[in-house]
Amino acid sequence: DDGLASSLVTGTTARKQQITATTSDETEGPPLVGVCAGEGQNSVVWGRAFGNGAYCCGPNQAKQLGIGKQTPTRWMAIHVPKPVLMVSAGSHHSLLCAVDGQVFSCGRGDGGQLGLGDKTKTTTNFQPIPSLATKIRTVAVASSARRFENQSASFCLDEQGAVFAFGNNNFMKLGIGEAEPPAHAWTPTRVHFPASVVAGAPATCPSSSSAAPSQQG
């Protein structure tokens, strides 16, 4: 809303709008270069700072901030495993894509949305997703947000244009196209597109559907 926007945006430049993180003592931290937010009462606001650090604030009932049991009411600098390229916030889990392409997840994982390969219920800090630790860099991540934590899903895009999906598959929203689609994908599963579709820029994910843009948009 306007109140949230006005509390985050503190200045502009000719090239981009910069968002400044404010700490509890009202001093200003480094300008941010990106933000994302979850959905609903369990929403979380994330920011990525110059220097590839990260900040977070908001509810943390599902431990989706990766900071244990704390619930910051202002932007809080957090420890991240590696320099950050991109963050994505679902309603009960978060994904972090490092500059080197490694992907980490934390929060609730009842539906497989953490991609850790088992029925992990909760992680309180960021864990690397083993099957995405390849020589091909991941360049974008997206998290769908659902009211019920075990209905969330996650998506990753690598530098060669391949998309991987994992998590809850109700309404077949993962798009993995099997004859008998599973209820959940516990590890990242390659999504196959028609020959005329090539994955491009990151896409946002509404609650019960998914999208991946082509090079033509």
Side-chain angles (χ1 to χ4, degrees):
D1 60 23
D2 292 342
L4 175 62
S6 63
S7 68
L8 297 180
V9 179
T10 61
T12 59
T13 66
R15 295 179 58 191
K16 67 178 70 174
Q17 190 174 60
Q18 294 185 339
I19 301 174
T20 301
T22 303
T23 61
S24 59
D25 61 0
E26 301 301 330
T27 60
E28 290 188 350
L32 306 185
V33 294
V35 292
C36 68
E39 180 179 347
Q41 294 179 346
N42 291 302
S43 65
V44 52
V45 178
W46 268 95
R48 184 173 70 84
F50 286 153
N52 303 115
Y55 293 83
C56 63
C57 68
N60 191 32
Q61 295 96 323
K63 312 302 184 293
Q64 66 266 41
L65 300 185
I67 55 173
K69 297 181 179 180
Q70 301 180 70
T71 300
T73 58
R74 294 178 181 269
W75 287 100
M76 175 180 177
I78 68 165
H79 171 74
V80 290
K82 293 183 176 182
V84 179
L85 173 68
M86 181 180 185
V87 290
S88 179
S91 52
H92 298 87
H93 76 293
S94 300
L95 298 179
L96 182 154
C97 181
V99 170
D100 67 1
Q102 189 169 12
V103 181
F104 299 80
S105 61
C106 71
R108 292 293 294 269
D110 304 56
Q113 63 266 37
L114 297 183
L116 299 177
D118 56 22
K119 296 182 180 181
T120 301
K121 291 187 176 181
T122 303
T123 62
T124 58
N125 52 23
F126 282 99
Q127 302 292 322
I129 299 178
S131 63
L132 291 176
T134 68
K135 294 181 180 179
I136 303 174
R137 294 175 58 248
T138 297
V139 295
V141 290
S143 308
S144 71
R146 292 289 290 171
R147 178 180 178 183
F148 301 105
E149 51 270 77
N150 65 352
Q151 295 182 2
S152 297
S154 302
F155 299 85
C156 296
L157 170 71
D158 72 22
E159 62 183 351
Q160 295 184 356
V163 175
F164 296 85
F166 44 104
N168 180 271
N169 194 33
N170 62 338
F171 304 107
M172 283 69 74
K173 63 176 174 281
L174 296 183
I176 53 182
E178 298 180 9
E180 296 183 5
H184 304 272
W186 300 99
T187 59
T189 302
R190 176 75 179 268
V191 178
H192 296 282
F193 293 92
S196 60
V197 178
V198 179
T204 58
C205 299
S207 296
S208 299
S209 61
S210 308
S214 69
Q215 288 183 332
Q216 290 78 34

